[in-house]
Amino acid sequence: MLEILLRLPSHALFRAFGAQAVLPFNITFNVTSACNCRCRTCNIWERAGEILSLDEYEKIFCSLGRAPVWITFSGGEPFLRDDLPEICGAAGRICRPAIINVPTNGSLARLPSMVERICELCPSSQIIVNMSLDGPGALHDEIRAHKDLFETWRKNYDALRSINRPNLSIGVMTVISVFNVEKFQELCDFVLDGLKPDSYITEIAEERVELRTVGKGITPSIEDYCRAVDYLLSRISREKFAGISRITQSFRKEYYQYVKRVLAEKRQLIPCYAGFASCQVFPNGDVWPCCIKAEEYLMGNLKAAQYDFGKVWRSREAALARRRISAKECFCPLANASYTNMLFHLPTLMRVFFRFLFH
């Protein structure tokens, strides 16, 4: 956390005055768009196509150096890639990020062995594996359109919890949508009382260009979402978390309140640092400030830039995307970007630290 805080002034100056383009400290790499589920809240599998190789990722990591503090390897389903441990290992060896986060649908039998390999290859990074769970039992299978997924998910969850690695944290993540919002309290109790993960996080189902869900009507009403998240807040306030999970939950509590305000007010409530301190890299090498606008705010392509991340980051297209974000053309409750934004918003940051110290 201290390493991130030390980076904040240079990024704040970059956004405020157009100072030297400082490389991002929070990067999400979509290593594939392929997925073996057909979730009702996500159609990213329709975008499956060209992907970067391990050698190409190593070149990108070398161009980034020690800039990234938090790296997420997402999908699709990232564990469909046979070389995912090696990709994570290359990032850990070259960039040495404090945190490597990998979300998964928990469907693959090889998941535990691959996670253990990632921990082995990245000894200096905290590995966070967040397993997606959208409902208790049959509801999860229905939303994910994958037969017997819940049973497989539970076996993999138990196997991951049994891995004895000091740098491994296992979390559960739920997408709150129109399909499960009425069952959320039941799911929340199941997770916190039955599974007892290192952390429990939720995100609201969004209509994203990246996921090809624009116009799909997957977002719950404000009233339903607030009822669900208020119940979650009441539950996690009684839970005891430690280490990185305690910090994460402190940010989460603030984030849930933030989402409620964004949904109600429909505007950019705090300055957005997407494209300044955080970004997303699509499987074909396209660099976006975030996944909500995606190609609309395209900053460049890493293949076309000979895998030089700085070249894309300093491009004219990147500058245009930043101007549009700074002009508040867009707003969203995207979790990954929101956490970065909170770090630069002093009132929010003070509330987070107060919760961390005294709750």
Side-chain angles (χ1 to χ4, degrees):
M1 189 65 184
L2 178 60
E3 187 176 358
I4 293 178
L5 294 176
L6 292 174
R7 306 277 187 96
L8 298 185
S10 58
H11 287 282
L13 290 171
F14 173 28
R15 190 186 191 281
F17 303 110
Q20 183 178 1
V22 186
L23 294 179
F25 62 74
N26 179 359
I27 306 179
T28 295
F29 290 94
N30 289 73
V31 294
T32 181
S33 295
C35 189
N36 57 335
C37 289
R38 296 294 181 265
C39 304
R40 300 175 73 181
T41 57
C42 175
N43 295 316
I44 196 170
W45 56 271
E46 295 178 356
R47 304 180 65 125
E50 182 182 12
I51 60 174
L52 297 171
S53 68
L54 173 60
D55 287 344
E56 289 174 309
Y57 277 115
E58 288 183 341
K59 293 176 184 177
I60 295 167
F61 298 150
C62 285
S63 75
L64 283 165
R66 296 292 299 275
V69 178
W70 183 304
I71 296 179
T72 297
F73 291 105
S74 186
E77 172 49 46
F79 286 93
L80 285 173
R81 285 199 62 148
D82 295 337
D83 59 355
L84 179 65
E86 286 67 36
I87 293 172
C88 294
R93 183 181 72 255
I94 298 169
C95 300
R96 300 181 67 83
I99 295 171
I100 293 177
N101 176 47
V102 193
T104 177
N105 62 28
S107 65
L108 302 175
R110 65 185 185 178
L111 176 62
S113 61
M114 292 182 77
V115 168
E116 189 150 23
R117 179 62 174 160
I118 291 171
C119 293
E120 179 184 347
L121 292 173
C122 306
S124 63
S125 299
Q126 178 69 31
I127 308 302
I128 302 175
V129 178
N130 284 317
M131 299 183 65
S132 297
L133 184 64
D134 290 340
L139 179 60
H140 181 65
D141 295 353
E142 177 187 338
I143 292 173
R144 296 271 162 171
H146 192 297
K147 185 179 179 181
D148 299 324
L149 177 58
F150 180 78
E151 182 180 349
T152 304
W153 186 100
R154 184 60 194 268
K155 289 179 180 178
N156 277 330
Y157 177 82
D158 291 341
L160 289 179
R161 294 291 288 174
S162 69
I163 295 175
N164 185 23
R165 291 280 181 175
N167 63 330
L168 177 62
S169 175
I170 306 300
V172 175
M173 195 277 285
T174 293
V175 176
I176 301 178
S177 68
V178 295
F179 309 114
N180 65 359
V181 67
E182 293 183 358
K183 290 280 188 179
F184 179 75
Q185 291 188 17
E186 179 184 346
L187 175 59
C188 183
D189 290 340
F190 169 74
V191 171
L192 295 177
D193 296 333
L195 298 177
K196 299 186 181 300
D198 294 320
S199 65
Y200 182 41
I201 61 179
T202 71
E203 293 187 11
I204 189 168
E206 298 176 83
E207 296 187 4
R208 301 184 190 176
V209 173
E210 175 206 19
L211 304 181
R212 292 194 171 175
T213 53
V214 176
K216 297 297 183 180
I218 60 176
T219 306
S221 68
I222 297 177
E223 295 77 15
D224 287 344
Y225 175 77
C226 288
R227 187 162 47 249
V229 81
D230 284 344
Y231 183 77
L232 174 60
L233 284 168
S234 71
R235 282 300 320 264
I236 62 176
S237 294
R238 304 196 301 265
E239 300 294 322
K240 299 295 183 183
F241 298 98
I244 188 67
S245 296
R246 186 177 176 188
I247 298 174
T248 301
Q249 291 303 328
S250 297
F251 273 97
R252 283 281 166 180
K253 291 176 183 178
E254 188 66 30
Y255 167 71
Y256 297 137
Q257 301 292 357
Y258 175 75
V259 173
K260 291 193 291 185
R261 287 188 59 203
V262 170
L263 293 175
E265 300 182 33
K266 299 185 183 304
R267 63 185 179 90
Q268 196 179 114
L269 297 175
I270 61 177
C272 182
Y273 278 77
F276 295 91
S278 64
C279 69
Q280 185 137 351
V281 180
F282 202 60
N284 67 351
D286 283 348
V287 180
W288 308 331
C290 70
C291 62
I292 299 297
K293 291 296 185 179
E295 293 99 337
E296 186 179 344
Y297 286 8
L298 178 65
M299 303 174 80
N301 181 274
L302 287 166
K303 278 193 171 187
Q306 289 77 51
Y307 312 102
D308 184 345
F309 194 95
K311 185 176 181 179
V312 171
W313 199 243
R314 294 186 294 269
S315 68
R316 184 176 63 178
E317 292 79 7
L320 176 60
R322 292 186 187 107
R323 283 198 295 270
R324 298 180 69 179
I325 292 168
S326 296
K328 300 184 177 181
E329 288 186 10
C330 55
F331 66 90
C332 74
L334 180 67
N336 192 286
S338 293
Y339 297 136
T340 301
N341 299 342
M342 289 176 188
L343 291 169
F344 293 92
H345 190 242
L346 187 58
T348 299
L349 194 59
M350 294 302 293
R351 289 194 296 270
V352 168
F353 274 103
F354 181 82
R355 285 196 178 99
F356 175 75
L357 292 173
F358 301 110
H359 288 260

